[in-house]
Amino acid sequence: FDTPGAHWFDFTPDGKLLVVADGPTVKLFAVGSWQPAGELVGHEQAVGAGVFSADGATLDTGSLDRMVV
């Protein structure tokens, strides 16, 4: 996979997805095949941090645009 602007990454709590912040977009990749599994949008500037809820159902991200999504 290609993410030249990656500023943050993490694995989902179940280990099935790699989550990568690439500028204002958060990209999801399936572990093993490393194929794209989706994208999350909502920020206007680069995402620099993220945290999963304990059950892995929610991902909150923070960005240079001062928003938490």
Side-chain angles (χ1 to χ4, degrees):
F1 54 88
D2 183 24
T3 57
H7 293 102
W8 168 82
F9 68 92
D10 200 358
F11 289 92
T12 56
D14 63 9
K16 293 182 180 180
L17 295 173
L18 172 64
V19 182
V20 179
D22 187 9
T25 303
V26 176
K27 297 181 179 182
L28 311 173
F29 296 93
V31 173
S33 70
W34 305 113
Q35 294 299 310
E39 288 187 351
L40 306 174
V41 296
H43 287 289
E44 296 176 5
Q45 295 184 24
V47 173
V51 63
F52 285 98
S53 61
D55 64 2
T58 304
L59 170 63
D60 292 326
T61 56
S63 168
L64 294 174
D65 58 17
R66 297 185 183 180
M67 292 176 40
V68 174
V69 178

